[in-house]
Amino acid sequence: LAGVADYGMLNIKIMRDFSDPGQIEMESMRAISRTVTGIFTLSNGVAIQFPCFVMRLPIIGNDNGLGTADAVLKIAGKVTAA
């Protein structure tokens, strides 16, 4: 919609692991469709945070023999350094 800010999306490739605490949390947030604070640490050690919700978290990895999956988070507000 005109005048509504679009903060973008974060696409991440993950090794689908149902015992991983982060993926368990992502699945619970996807299931309840709630906006939460996402915190990611970049390769340079800087942590960023932003409001987001899980748009896509495949149940299984892609059919590429590696078990990877493409997860998508919708950024719902300003990105800041934590």
Side-chain angles (χ1 to χ4, degrees):
L1 299 173
V4 177
D6 182 357
Y7 294 97
M9 293 182 284
L10 179 65
N11 299 299
I12 55 176
K13 186 171 288 295
I14 58 175
M15 296 296 289
R16 198 63 171 105
D17 179 354
F18 292 98
S19 65
D20 177 74
Q23 291 186 41
I24 293 169
E25 184 70 18
M26 286 175 65
E27 178 57 36
S28 67
M29 292 301 101
R30 187 205 58 77
I32 63 173
S33 300
R34 193 173 91 199
T35 299
V36 297
T37 299
I39 301 173
F40 284 83
T41 302
L42 305 176
S43 60
N44 64 1
V46 173
I48 59 170
Q49 64 183 25
F50 46 86
C52 64
F53 57 90
V54 179
M55 289 182 65
R56 180 171 187 244
L57 183 61
I59 294 173
I60 58 172
N62 297 331
D63 187 19
N64 58 10
L66 299 175
T68 60
D70 297 315
V72 179
L73 303 178
K74 175 66 177 158
I75 300 172
K78 185 177 177 184
V79 177
T80 58

